[in-house]
Amino acid sequence: MSKKLLPITQTAIFIALLIVSQMATAPLGNQLVTGSIVNMILIVSVMTCGLASGLTVAAISNVAAKLLGIGPLWSLIPFIAVGNMVLVLTWHFVGNRHIGRKYVSHVVALVCAAAAKFLTLYLGIVKIAVPLLLDLPEKQAAVISGMFSVTQLITASIGGALAIVLLPTLFRGIRRQE
């Protein structure tokens, strides 16, 4: 496969994997399961295919979820996209550093990225969008605020832990193909 076509193909595969996982886990109605898998896919895409792939998957993930009928309000999508991109950027810049062993940089990336995504979504959605930009009934505002608070820290952490488990095997497979 040509060097120019490979990144596009890899990104398309991650987008397809993301959509299929969202469709498969949505009926469970469990944000922890779906969110953790989505975060894992975002992390694996950036760590195996590079920053452009990771950012593309991060930007498309919440639009795909909304089109599948499992995403939140359209007005929240830009905030979620930024949160996903913060996760991807943090993993790219921290997870690729050599802090002792590769494993150590991945654990540091997990902690930093989960905290950064949580703070981005908490400030953007809970503190800005819900109270200042959206005119929602109190009960709906509370549900949305709950979805974008500590739950995001948990799903980003679980997704990061799953990625840490998968990445060594994926890196070995990539090295064998090169």
Side-chain angles (χ1 to χ4, degrees), residues 128-165:
I128 296 172
V130 170
L132 303 176
L133 304 177
L134 303 176
D135 185 25
L136 300 173
E138 192 175 318
K139 187 174 180 180
Q140 187 179 7
V143 168
I144 290 174
S145 293
M147 290 173 59
F148 293 100
S149 57
V150 176
T151 307
Q152 294 298 320
L153 181 64
I154 295 167
T155 59
S157 297
I158 293 170
L162 293 170
I164 287 173
V165 170

Side-chain angles (χ1 to χ4, degrees), residues 15-30 33-35 37-38 41 61 64-71:
I15 292 168
L17 184 60
L18 184 113
I19 291 169
V20 168
S21 67
Q22 288 175 327
M23 288 174 55
T25 60
L28 301 174
N30 189 328
V33 173
T34 304
I37 292 171
V38 166
I41 292 169
S61 69
K66 183 61 180 170
L67 292 174
L68 292 169
I70 60 173

Side-chain angles (χ1 to χ4, degrees), residues 62 65-66 70-77 80 144 147-148:
N62 48 49
K66 183 61 180 170
I70 60 173
L73 303 169
W74 282 108
S75 55
L76 297 180
I77 286 180
I80 300 166
I144 290 174
M147 290 173 59
F148 293 100

Side-chain angles (χ1 to χ4, degrees), residues 24 29 32 36 47 63 65 70 74 88 172:
L32 288 174
S36 298
M47 296 303 290
V63 174
I70 60 173
W74 282 108
V88 165
R172 278 193 299 277

